Amino acid sequence: MQVEYIRAEQLANLLLGPGKDKAVVIDVRSHDFNDVGHIKGCLNIPSDDFGDDDDVDDLIQKHFNDIEKVIVHCQFSKQRGPFCAQRLLSRLRAGERAFPDVYVLKGGFQEFGYKYLDNEQLVVKS
């Protein structure tokens, strides 16, 4: 089971389009979440919270009702983001209900912020 990637432009279009209410962005950064800004409306759930199955299951129960897409990222989306997305996908597949598509933001917030830092609809600056 492999997690797919979504590009910054695709995510921006999703967040500005009619399907924005059917998507959840999860930023798994902890100490660096407020240092460099974040995607507007994202959930900040540090990567440490993805280690325990019960914690991940609680996250799913709390935030994923009527959601079609989940986008997970960290600063660069090279380690924490992909790990958390994979954990999330494995717990979703272990459940008994339909589940959303899970993506990793290619290039993480580093790339997204570089492209959209001045767009107040997409990024909250620190």
Side-chain angles (χ1 to χ4, degrees):
M1 79 191 132
Q2 193 71 15
V3 175
E4 294 186 37
Y5 282 81
I6 186 171
R7 294 186 332 273
E9 299 82 10
Q10 292 172 297
L11 178 57
N13 288 336
L14 176 66
L15 296 176
L16 295 173
K20 65 184 173 190
D21 294 332
K22 296 286 185 181
V24 170
V25 177
I26 301 176
D27 187 329
V28 299
R29 296 176 294 161
S30 53
H31 65 279
D32 48 349
F33 177 74
N34 287 314
D35 293 345
V36 294
H38 57 271
I39 296 173
K40 187 173 184 176
C42 74
L43 300 174
N44 179 227
I45 303 170
S47 57
D48 291 344
D49 292 353
F50 285 81
D52 183 74
D53 287 350
D54 289 336
D55 290 342
V56 178
D57 292 345
D58 288 345
L59 166 69
I60 292 167
Q61 186 69 30
K62 185 174 181 182
H63 296 289
F64 292 178
N65 293 323
D66 299 321
I67 295 299
E68 296 175 1
K69 296 180 193 257
V70 178
I71 300 89
V72 181
H73 76 89
C74 57
Q75 186 63 26
F76 299 103
S77 288
K78 292 195 180 265
Q79 293 182 356
R80 293 176 292 178
F83 168 78
C84 294
Q86 191 65 46
R87 285 284 296 135
L88 183 59
L89 184 58
S90 70
R91 294 309 302 157
L92 284 165
R93 288 188 173 165
E96 296 179 3
R97 63 182 194 172
F99 56 87
D101 296 324
V102 178
Y103 300 90
V104 174
L105 176 58
K106 186 172 178 69
F109 184 75
Q110 182 75 16
E111 185 173 325
F112 193 89
Y114 177 78
K115 291 181 178 187
Y116 300 106
L117 189 62
D118 293 325
N119 187 329
E120 294 178 357
Q121 291 180 297
L122 294 172
V123 175
V124 176
K125 295 180 185 181
S126 293

